[in-house]
Amino acid sequence: MPSPLPHNRLLHLQFSSSVNARPCSSPLLFPDKAEKFFCAEGVSPRVRRLPTRLAWCSIDWDQLCLLHPLGSGGFGSVYKAIYHGTTVAVKQVKKSSKNSLASRQSFWAELNVAHLDHNNVVRLVAASTCAPASQDTLGTIIMEYVGNSTLHHVIYGTDCKTEKSKDDGLGSGHVSLSISEALGYSCDIVAGLIFLHSQTIVHLDLKPANVFITEQNICKLGDFGCSQKLQDLESSSPLLSQQGGTYTHRAPELLKGERVTPKADIYSFAITLWQMVTQQEPYLGERQYVLYSVVACNLRPSLTADVFKGSATGQQLETLIESCWKSDVAKRPSAELLLQNIHSLSLKV
């Protein structure tokens, strides 16, 4: 479940019409053109490049055509779409979710990265709470299209239903990651974290499924439904600040209800890197047992795999991972130091 946001971020179901007053404004709608919201694959409205200064705070519905679903979850669905002649991804947050408050909070959290532009972060193009009446959505977000392949697909070889697999019938297959490849992906991930942390944003749900891999083999951090701005945390209650995220990757201090810091993302990265080099699931067993053991018994994924014991590089990799998932937050490296350590290790591979 996404992390709840401070109550002062949830004043209204609709955004203010002032861009300065709220992070998003409600666009004018054209009901007579709502039937153009969906269109067939390959059909695009007025093919032209996306306006360079298009305001992210409103959606030009007449220029949006949903093509086909890319995936769905508890709070909504993601579609491949055409917007102003450019291929994009569209996330629609459902009104009919079992927890509508959490759905709204997830939508607001996604907007933490609005206006931001970095090579390793999925970019937001536009957003609005308004939509054609036929759409059961309380919020729509348009993002750059980065494909449908994630680090989870690469690690575990699951069928990611990429464009290639749809076109030629091929699945993603299971390909073992070398240490060199894992470190290369790690550089992208940590570079994205450095940028987010410089903007006082913590992701709080870093895991392989939320790391997208482009056709150029570049990692981009996505799915910011659990993210938080550090300045917002100062005015929220500790309990509200700690909820959400994926329990296998959630730092022990957050499980204990302690203060959120960027070091929580470093812990999550350690679990993600461990998955890359072992291609195993972090934990087996019941959720409550894992949660208790992580906090009370310092449980971490096993470091007995051959990849850590077979070479000096493997042993250094083990040391790096251990430094990132230490229980003592102060002893974990910053994202900047972590990137330096990964670069140094990469030179030895």
Short mmCIF file of all heavy atoms in Angstrom, two decimals, residues 179 182-183 186 190 252 263 265-279 282-283 298-305 307-309 313-328 331-333 338 341-342 345:
data_model
loop_
_atom_site.label_atom_id
_atom_site.label_comp_id
_atom_site.label_asym_id
_atom_site.label_seq_id
_atom_site.Cartn_x
_atom_site.Cartn_y
_atom_site.Cartn_z
N ILE A 179 28.19 -10.28 -13.00
CA ILE A 179 28.46 -9.23 -12.00
C ILE A 179 28.65 -7.89 -12.70
O ILE A 179 28.17 -6.86 -12.23
CB ILE A 179 29.71 -9.59 -11.16
CG1 ILE A 179 29.41 -10.78 -10.25
CG2 ILE A 179 30.16 -8.39 -10.33
CD1 ILE A 179 30.56 -11.18 -9.36
N ALA A 182 25.25 -6.53 -13.56
CA ALA A 182 24.56 -6.11 -12.35
C ALA A 182 25.10 -4.77 -11.85
O ALA A 182 24.34 -3.89 -11.42
CB ALA A 182 24.69 -7.17 -11.27
N LEU A 183 26.41 -4.60 -11.91
CA LEU A 183 27.01 -3.34 -11.47
C LEU A 183 26.66 -2.20 -12.43
O LEU A 183 26.47 -1.06 -12.00
CB LEU A 183 28.53 -3.49 -11.37
CG LEU A 183 29.03 -4.43 -10.26
CD1 LEU A 183 30.55 -4.59 -10.33
CD2 LEU A 183 28.61 -3.91 -8.88
N SER A 186 23.29 -1.19 -11.55
CA SER A 186 23.36 -0.53 -10.24
C SER A 186 23.77 0.93 -10.37
O SER A 186 23.26 1.79 -9.66
CB SER A 186 24.35 -1.27 -9.33
OG SER A 186 23.90 -2.58 -9.05
N VAL A 190 21.49 3.87 -8.81
CA VAL A 190 22.00 4.77 -7.76
C VAL A 190 22.11 6.20 -8.28
O VAL A 190 21.88 7.16 -7.53
CB VAL A 190 23.36 4.26 -7.23
CG1 VAL A 190 23.94 5.23 -6.22
CG2 VAL A 190 23.19 2.88 -6.61
N PRO A 252 14.47 -1.64 8.14
CA PRO A 252 13.98 -1.98 9.49
C PRO A 252 13.57 -0.76 10.30
O PRO A 252 12.64 -0.84 11.11
CB PRO A 252 15.17 -2.71 10.12
CG PRO A 252 16.35 -2.37 9.28
CD PRO A 252 15.83 -2.16 7.91
N LYS A 263 18.46 7.07 3.51
CA LYS A 263 19.14 5.79 3.73
C LYS A 263 18.17 4.60 3.63
O LYS A 263 18.61 3.46 3.47
CB LYS A 263 19.82 5.79 5.10
CG LYS A 263 20.92 6.84 5.27
CD LYS A 263 22.11 6.55 4.39
CE LYS A 263 23.26 7.53 4.63
NZ LYS A 263 23.90 7.36 5.94
N ASP A 265 16.19 4.15 1.15
CA ASP A 265 16.35 3.72 -0.25
C ASP A 265 17.64 2.93 -0.46
O ASP A 265 17.71 2.03 -1.31
CB ASP A 265 16.35 4.93 -1.18
CG ASP A 265 14.97 5.54 -1.37
OD1 ASP A 265 13.97 4.85 -1.10
OD2 ASP A 265 14.90 6.72 -1.79
N ILE A 266 18.67 3.25 0.33
CA ILE A 266 19.94 2.52 0.22
C ILE A 266 19.74 1.08 0.67
O ILE A 266 20.27 0.14 0.05
CB ILE A 266 21.04 3.21 1.06
CG1 ILE A 266 21.23 4.67 0.60
CG2 ILE A 266 22.34 2.43 0.98
CD1 ILE A 266 21.63 4.80 -0.85
N TYR A 267 18.97 0.88 1.72
CA TYR A 267 18.64 -0.48 2.17
C TYR A 267 17.91 -1.24 1.07
O TYR A 267 18.26 -2.39 0.77
CB TYR A 267 17.78 -0.41 3.43
CG TYR A 267 17.35 -1.76 3.96
CD1 TYR A 267 18.08 -2.41 4.94
CD2 TYR A 267 16.20 -2.39 3.45
CE1 TYR A 267 17.69 -3.67 5.41
CE2 TYR A 267 15.81 -3.64 3.92
CZ TYR A 267 16.56 -4.27 4.89
OH TYR A 267 16.18 -5.51 5.35
N SER A 268 16.91 -0.61 0.49
CA SER A 268 16.14 -1.26 -0.58
C SER A 268 17.04 -1.60 -1.76
O SER A 268 16.86 -2.65 -2.41
CB SER A 268 15.00 -0.35 -1.02
OG SER A 268 14.12 -0.06 0.04
N PHE A 269 17.98 -0.72 -2.05
CA PHE A 269 18.92 -1.00 -3.15
C PHE A 269 19.74 -2.25 -2.85
O PHE A 269 20.01 -3.06 -3.75
CB PHE A 269 19.85 0.19 -3.38
CG PHE A 269 21.03 -0.17 -4.25
CD1 PHE A 269 20.88 -0.28 -5.62
CD2 PHE A 269 22.28 -0.44 -3.69
CE1 PHE A 269 21.95 -0.65 -6.43
CE2 PHE A 269 23.35 -0.80 -4.49
CZ PHE A 269 23.18 -0.90 -5.87
N ALA A 270 20.15 -2.43 -1.60
CA ALA A 270 20.95 -3.59 -1.23
C ALA A 270 20.20 -4.89 -1.52
O ALA A 270 20.77 -5.85 -2.05
CB ALA A 270 21.34 -3.52 0.25
N ILE A 271 18.92 -4.93 -1.17
CA ILE A 271 18.11 -6.12 -1.45
C ILE A 271 18.01 -6.32 -2.96
O ILE A 271 18.10 -7.45 -3.47
CB ILE A 271 16.71 -5.99 -0.84
CG1 ILE A 271 16.79 -5.70 0.67
CG2 ILE A 271 15.90 -7.26 -1.11
CD1 ILE A 271 17.36 -6.82 1.49
N THR A 272 17.83 -5.23 -3.69
CA THR A 272 17.70 -5.30 -5.16
C THR A 272 18.99 -5.80 -5.80
O THR A 272 18.97 -6.65 -6.71
CB THR A 272 17.33 -3.92 -5.72
OG1 THR A 272 16.07 -3.51 -5.17
CG2 THR A 272 17.23 -3.94 -7.24
N LEU A 273 20.14 -5.30 -5.34
CA LEU A 273 21.42 -5.76 -5.88
C LEU A 273 21.63 -7.23 -5.55
O LEU A 273 22.12 -8.00 -6.40
CB LEU A 273 22.56 -4.90 -5.31
CG LEU A 273 23.98 -5.33 -5.71
CD1 LEU A 273 24.15 -5.38 -7.22
CD2 LEU A 273 25.01 -4.36 -5.08
N TRP A 274 21.28 -7.64 -4.35
CA TRP A 274 21.38 -9.05 -3.97
C TRP A 274 20.56 -9.91 -4.94
O TRP A 274 21.00 -10.98 -5.37
CB TRP A 274 20.89 -9.24 -2.54
CG TRP A 274 20.96 -10.65 -2.05
CD1 TRP A 274 21.99 -11.26 -1.40
CD2 TRP A 274 19.94 -11.66 -2.19
NE1 TRP A 274 21.68 -12.57 -1.12
CE2 TRP A 274 20.44 -12.85 -1.60
CE3 TRP A 274 18.67 -11.67 -2.76
CZ2 TRP A 274 19.69 -14.03 -1.55
CZ3 TRP A 274 17.93 -12.85 -2.74
CH2 TRP A 274 18.44 -14.01 -2.13
N GLN A 275 19.37 -9.45 -5.29
CA GLN A 275 18.54 -10.19 -6.24
C GLN A 275 19.20 -10.28 -7.61
O GLN A 275 19.13 -11.32 -8.28
CB GLN A 275 17.17 -9.53 -6.38
CG GLN A 275 16.28 -9.69 -5.15
CD GLN A 275 14.99 -8.92 -5.29
OE1 GLN A 275 14.91 -7.73 -4.99
NE2 GLN A 275 13.95 -9.60 -5.77
N MET A 276 19.85 -9.21 -8.03
CA MET A 276 20.50 -9.22 -9.34
C MET A 276 21.60 -10.26 -9.42
O MET A 276 21.75 -10.95 -10.42
CB MET A 276 21.08 -7.82 -9.65
CG MET A 276 20.07 -6.83 -10.18
SD MET A 276 20.86 -5.36 -10.87
CE MET A 276 21.07 -4.36 -9.41
N VAL A 277 22.39 -10.37 -8.37
CA VAL A 277 23.56 -11.26 -8.45
C VAL A 277 23.25 -12.70 -8.05
O VAL A 277 24.00 -13.62 -8.41
CB VAL A 277 24.73 -10.72 -7.59
CG1 VAL A 277 25.19 -9.37 -8.13
CG2 VAL A 277 24.34 -10.62 -6.13
N THR A 278 22.14 -12.93 -7.34
CA THR A 278 21.79 -14.31 -6.95
C THR A 278 20.62 -14.85 -7.77
O THR A 278 20.46 -16.06 -7.87
CB THR A 278 21.40 -14.39 -5.47
OG1 THR A 278 20.18 -13.65 -5.25
CG2 THR A 278 22.51 -13.85 -4.58
N GLN A 279 19.78 -13.96 -8.29
CA GLN A 279 18.56 -14.32 -9.04
C GLN A 279 17.66 -15.22 -8.20
O GLN A 279 17.03 -16.16 -8.70
CB GLN A 279 18.91 -14.96 -10.38
CG GLN A 279 19.65 -13.99 -11.30
CD GLN A 279 19.90 -14.56 -12.68
OE1 GLN A 279 20.85 -15.29 -12.88
NE2 GLN A 279 19.04 -14.21 -13.63
N PRO A 282 14.29 -12.80 -1.99
CA PRO A 282 14.99 -12.46 -0.74
C PRO A 282 14.65 -13.37 0.44
O PRO A 282 15.54 -13.77 1.19
CB PRO A 282 14.53 -11.02 -0.46
CG PRO A 282 14.09 -10.49 -1.78
CD PRO A 282 13.53 -11.67 -2.53
N TYR A 283 13.36 -13.67 0.63
CA TYR A 283 12.96 -14.42 1.82
C TYR A 283 11.92 -15.48 1.46
O TYR A 283 11.13 -15.32 0.52
CB TYR A 283 12.34 -13.49 2.87
CG TYR A 283 13.23 -12.35 3.29
CD1 TYR A 283 12.93 -11.04 2.91
CD2 TYR A 283 14.36 -12.57 4.06
CE1 TYR A 283 13.74 -9.98 3.29
CE2 TYR A 283 15.18 -11.53 4.45
CZ TYR A 283 14.86 -10.23 4.06
OH TYR A 283 15.67 -9.19 4.44
N ASN A 298 17.77 -9.11 13.00
CA ASN A 298 18.69 -8.64 11.96
C ASN A 298 18.73 -9.61 10.76
O ASN A 298 19.79 -9.82 10.16
CB ASN A 298 20.10 -8.45 12.53
CG ASN A 298 20.94 -7.51 11.67
OD1 ASN A 298 20.40 -6.59 11.04
ND2 ASN A 298 22.23 -7.73 11.63
N LEU A 299 17.59 -10.19 10.42
CA LEU A 299 17.52 -11.11 9.29
C LEU A 299 17.80 -10.37 7.98
O LEU A 299 17.29 -9.27 7.76
CB LEU A 299 16.12 -11.74 9.22
CG LEU A 299 15.85 -12.64 8.00
CD1 LEU A 299 16.70 -13.90 8.07
CD2 LEU A 299 14.36 -12.97 7.89
N ARG A 300 18.63 -10.98 7.14
CA ARG A 300 18.91 -10.46 5.80
C ARG A 300 18.99 -11.65 4.85
O ARG A 300 19.21 -12.78 5.29
CB ARG A 300 20.23 -9.67 5.76
CG ARG A 300 20.29 -8.47 6.68
CD ARG A 300 19.34 -7.36 6.26
NE ARG A 300 19.54 -6.17 7.11
CZ ARG A 300 18.88 -5.94 8.24
NH1 ARG A 300 17.99 -6.82 8.69
NH2 ARG A 300 19.12 -4.84 8.93
N PRO A 301 18.86 -11.44 3.54
CA PRO A 301 19.04 -12.53 2.59
C PRO A 301 20.41 -13.18 2.74
O PRO A 301 21.39 -12.52 3.12
CB PRO A 301 18.90 -11.84 1.23
CG PRO A 301 18.03 -10.66 1.51
CD PRO A 301 18.44 -10.19 2.87
N SER A 302 20.51 -14.45 2.42
CA SER A 302 21.74 -15.21 2.61
C SER A 302 22.86 -14.75 1.68
O SER A 302 22.63 -14.46 0.50
CB SER A 302 21.47 -16.70 2.37
OG SER A 302 22.68 -17.43 2.38
N LEU A 303 24.07 -14.68 2.23
CA LEU A 303 25.25 -14.31 1.45
C LEU A 303 26.17 -15.51 1.25
O LEU A 303 27.39 -15.35 1.11
CB LEU A 303 25.99 -13.17 2.14
CG LEU A 303 25.28 -11.82 2.15
CD1 LEU A 303 25.98 -10.83 3.08
CD2 LEU A 303 25.18 -11.24 0.74
N THR A 304 25.59 -16.69 1.24
CA THR A 304 26.39 -17.92 1.10
C THR A 304 26.52 -18.39 -0.35
O THR A 304 27.19 -19.37 -0.61
CB THR A 304 25.78 -19.06 1.93
OG1 THR A 304 24.45 -19.31 1.47
CG2 THR A 304 25.75 -18.69 3.41
N ALA A 305 25.89 -17.69 -1.28
CA ALA A 305 25.94 -18.12 -2.69
C ALA A 305 27.36 -18.07 -3.21
O ALA A 305 28.20 -17.27 -2.76
CB ALA A 305 25.03 -17.21 -3.53
N VAL A 307 28.55 -16.85 -5.82
CA VAL A 307 28.95 -15.60 -6.44
C VAL A 307 29.73 -14.72 -5.48
O VAL A 307 30.58 -13.91 -5.87
CB VAL A 307 27.71 -14.85 -6.99
CG1 VAL A 307 26.80 -14.40 -5.84
CG2 VAL A 307 28.12 -13.65 -7.83
N PHE A 308 29.48 -14.86 -4.17
CA PHE A 308 30.17 -14.05 -3.17
C PHE A 308 31.48 -14.69 -2.70
O PHE A 308 32.31 -14.01 -2.09
CB PHE A 308 29.27 -13.82 -1.96
CG PHE A 308 27.98 -13.12 -2.28
CD1 PHE A 308 26.77 -13.75 -2.12
CD2 PHE A 308 27.98 -11.81 -2.76
CE1 PHE A 308 25.58 -13.11 -2.41
CE2 PHE A 308 26.80 -11.16 -3.06
CZ PHE A 308 25.60 -11.81 -2.89
N LYS A 309 31.66 -15.96 -2.96
CA LYS A 309 32.81 -16.69 -2.40
C LYS A 309 33.86 -17.06 -3.44
O LYS A 309 34.97 -17.43 -3.09
CB LYS A 309 32.32 -17.96 -1.71
CG LYS A 309 31.19 -17.75 -0.70
CD LYS A 309 31.59 -16.79 0.42
CE LYS A 309 30.44 -16.61 1.41
NZ LYS A 309 30.77 -15.61 2.44
N THR A 313 36.45 -10.19 -6.15
CA THR A 313 35.39 -9.26 -6.55
C THR A 313 34.08 -9.63 -5.86
O THR A 313 33.34 -8.77 -5.38
CB THR A 313 35.20 -9.28 -8.08
OG1 THR A 313 36.42 -8.89 -8.71
CG2 THR A 313 34.08 -8.34 -8.49
N GLY A 314 33.79 -10.94 -5.81
CA GLY A 314 32.58 -11.39 -5.14
C GLY A 314 32.57 -11.04 -3.66
O GLY A 314 31.54 -10.65 -3.10
N GLN A 315 33.72 -11.16 -3.03
CA GLN A 315 33.81 -10.82 -1.61
C GLN A 315 33.63 -9.32 -1.39
O GLN A 315 33.02 -8.89 -0.41
CB GLN A 315 35.16 -11.29 -1.07
CG GLN A 315 35.30 -12.81 -1.05
CD GLN A 315 36.71 -13.27 -0.71
OE1 GLN A 315 37.56 -12.46 -0.35
NE2 GLN A 315 36.96 -14.57 -0.83
N GLN A 316 34.15 -8.51 -2.31
CA GLN A 316 33.97 -7.06 -2.21
C GLN A 316 32.51 -6.68 -2.44
O GLN A 316 31.98 -5.76 -1.81
CB GLN A 316 34.88 -6.35 -3.21
CG GLN A 316 36.36 -6.46 -2.86
CD GLN A 316 37.25 -5.90 -3.94
OE1 GLN A 316 36.87 -5.83 -5.11
NE2 GLN A 316 38.45 -5.49 -3.57
N LEU A 317 31.86 -7.42 -3.34
CA LEU A 317 30.45 -7.21 -3.58
C LEU A 317 29.63 -7.52 -2.34
O LEU A 317 28.71 -6.79 -1.97
CB LEU A 317 29.99 -8.08 -4.76
CG LEU A 317 28.55 -7.93 -5.23
CD1 LEU A 317 28.29 -6.51 -5.73
CD2 LEU A 317 28.25 -8.94 -6.33
N GLU A 318 30.01 -8.60 -1.66
CA GLU A 318 29.35 -8.96 -0.41
C GLU A 318 29.50 -7.85 0.63
O GLU A 318 28.53 -7.47 1.30
CB GLU A 318 29.95 -10.26 0.13
CG GLU A 318 29.40 -10.69 1.49
CD GLU A 318 30.06 -11.95 2.00
OE1 GLU A 318 30.86 -12.56 1.26
OE2 GLU A 318 29.78 -12.32 3.16
N THR A 319 30.70 -7.31 0.73
CA THR A 319 30.96 -6.23 1.68
C THR A 319 30.12 -5.00 1.35
O THR A 319 29.56 -4.33 2.25
CB THR A 319 32.45 -5.85 1.68
OG1 THR A 319 33.22 -7.00 2.06
CG2 THR A 319 32.73 -4.72 2.64
N LEU A 320 30.00 -4.69 0.06
CA LEU A 320 29.23 -3.52 -0.36
C LEU A 320 27.75 -3.69 0.01
O LEU A 320 27.12 -2.78 0.54
CB LEU A 320 29.39 -3.32 -1.87
CG LEU A 320 28.75 -2.08 -2.49
CD1 LEU A 320 29.58 -1.55 -3.64
CD2 LEU A 320 27.32 -2.36 -2.96
N ILE A 321 27.20 -4.88 -0.26
CA ILE A 321 25.79 -5.14 0.05
C ILE A 321 25.56 -5.05 1.56
O ILE A 321 24.60 -4.43 2.03
CB ILE A 321 25.37 -6.51 -0.49
CG1 ILE A 321 25.33 -6.48 -2.02
CG2 ILE A 321 24.00 -6.92 0.06
CD1 ILE A 321 25.04 -7.82 -2.66
N GLU A 322 26.47 -5.66 2.33
CA GLU A 322 26.32 -5.62 3.79
C GLU A 322 26.34 -4.20 4.33
O GLU A 322 25.61 -3.87 5.27
CB GLU A 322 27.43 -6.44 4.44
CG GLU A 322 27.25 -7.94 4.33
CD GLU A 322 28.32 -8.71 5.08
OE1 GLU A 322 29.50 -8.33 4.98
OE2 GLU A 322 27.97 -9.68 5.79
N SER A 323 27.16 -3.34 3.73
CA SER A 323 27.24 -1.96 4.21
C SER A 323 25.93 -1.21 3.96
O SER A 323 25.58 -0.29 4.70
CB SER A 323 28.39 -1.22 3.51
OG SER A 323 28.10 -0.98 2.13
N CYS A 324 25.20 -1.61 2.91
CA CYS A 324 23.97 -0.91 2.55
C CYS A 324 22.76 -1.35 3.36
O CYS A 324 21.79 -0.60 3.46
CB CYS A 324 23.68 -1.09 1.06
SG CYS A 324 24.85 -0.29 -0.04
N TRP A 325 22.79 -2.59 3.90
CA TRP A 325 21.61 -3.02 4.64
C TRP A 325 21.87 -3.12 6.14
O TRP A 325 21.18 -3.83 6.88
CB TRP A 325 21.04 -4.30 4.08
CG TRP A 325 21.83 -5.58 4.17
CD1 TRP A 325 22.76 -5.94 5.12
CD2 TRP A 325 21.71 -6.71 3.28
NE1 TRP A 325 23.23 -7.21 4.88
CE2 TRP A 325 22.61 -7.71 3.77
CE3 TRP A 325 20.96 -6.98 2.15
CZ2 TRP A 325 22.74 -8.95 3.13
CZ3 TRP A 325 21.10 -8.20 1.52
CH2 TRP A 325 21.98 -9.17 2.01
N LYS A 326 22.85 -2.40 6.63
CA LYS A 326 23.11 -2.36 8.08
C LYS A 326 21.89 -1.82 8.83
O LYS A 326 21.16 -0.95 8.33
CB LYS A 326 24.31 -1.47 8.38
CG LYS A 326 25.66 -2.09 7.99
CD LYS A 326 26.79 -1.17 8.39
CE LYS A 326 28.14 -1.79 8.04
NZ LYS A 326 28.40 -3.00 8.86
N SER A 327 21.68 -2.33 10.01
CA SER A 327 20.57 -1.84 10.84
C SER A 327 20.79 -0.41 11.27
O SER A 327 19.83 0.38 11.37
CB SER A 327 20.40 -2.74 12.07
OG SER A 327 20.00 -4.04 11.69
N ASP A 328 22.04 -0.04 11.54
CA ASP A 328 22.38 1.32 11.94
C ASP A 328 22.35 2.21 10.71
O ASP A 328 23.21 2.12 9.83
CB ASP A 328 23.75 1.35 12.59
CG ASP A 328 24.09 2.70 13.21
OD1 ASP A 328 23.43 3.70 12.85
OD2 ASP A 328 25.01 2.76 14.04
N LYS A 331 25.44 4.11 9.50
CA LYS A 331 26.57 3.36 8.95
C LYS A 331 26.36 2.97 7.49
O LYS A 331 27.28 2.45 6.86
CB LYS A 331 26.83 2.11 9.79
CG LYS A 331 27.34 2.44 11.19
CD LYS A 331 27.65 1.17 11.98
CE LYS A 331 28.20 1.50 13.36
NZ LYS A 331 28.49 0.27 14.15
N ARG A 332 25.18 3.21 6.96
CA ARG A 332 24.96 2.96 5.53
C ARG A 332 25.56 4.10 4.71
O ARG A 332 25.52 5.26 5.14
CB ARG A 332 23.47 2.86 5.22
CG ARG A 332 22.77 1.68 5.82
CD ARG A 332 21.28 1.69 5.49
NE ARG A 332 20.51 1.00 6.52
CZ ARG A 332 19.23 1.23 6.80
NH1 ARG A 332 18.57 2.14 6.10
NH2 ARG A 332 18.63 0.57 7.77
N PRO A 333 26.11 3.81 3.55
CA PRO A 333 26.68 4.88 2.72
C PRO A 333 25.59 5.77 2.12
O PRO A 333 24.45 5.33 1.94
CB PRO A 333 27.43 4.12 1.62
CG PRO A 333 26.67 2.83 1.50
CD PRO A 333 26.24 2.48 2.90
N LEU A 338 28.02 5.49 -2.38
CA LEU A 338 27.70 4.18 -2.93
C LEU A 338 28.05 4.11 -4.41
O LEU A 338 28.63 3.12 -4.88
CB LEU A 338 26.21 3.88 -2.72
CG LEU A 338 25.68 2.56 -3.30
CD1 LEU A 338 26.46 1.37 -2.75
CD2 LEU A 338 24.19 2.42 -2.98
N ASN A 341 31.71 3.67 -4.83
CA ASN A 341 32.12 2.30 -4.51
C ASN A 341 31.78 1.33 -5.64
O ASN A 341 32.55 0.42 -5.94
CB ASN A 341 31.45 1.85 -3.21
CG ASN A 341 31.94 2.62 -2.00
OD1 ASN A 341 33.02 3.20 -2.03
ND2 ASN A 341 31.15 2.64 -0.94
N ILE A 342 30.63 1.53 -6.26
CA ILE A 342 30.24 0.66 -7.36
C ILE A 342 31.15 0.87 -8.55
O ILE A 342 31.59 -0.09 -9.21
CB ILE A 342 28.76 0.92 -7.76
CG1 ILE A 342 27.83 0.51 -6.60
CG2 ILE A 342 28.40 0.15 -9.02
CD1 ILE A 342 26.39 0.90 -6.82
N LEU A 345 34.42 -0.86 -7.89
CA LEU A 345 34.29 -2.30 -8.02
C LEU A 345 34.16 -2.71 -9.48
O LEU A 345 34.70 -3.74 -9.91
CB LEU A 345 33.05 -2.78 -7.23
CG LEU A 345 32.84 -4.29 -7.10
CD1 LEU A 345 34.09 -4.97 -6.54
CD2 LEU A 345 31.64 -4.57 -6.22
#
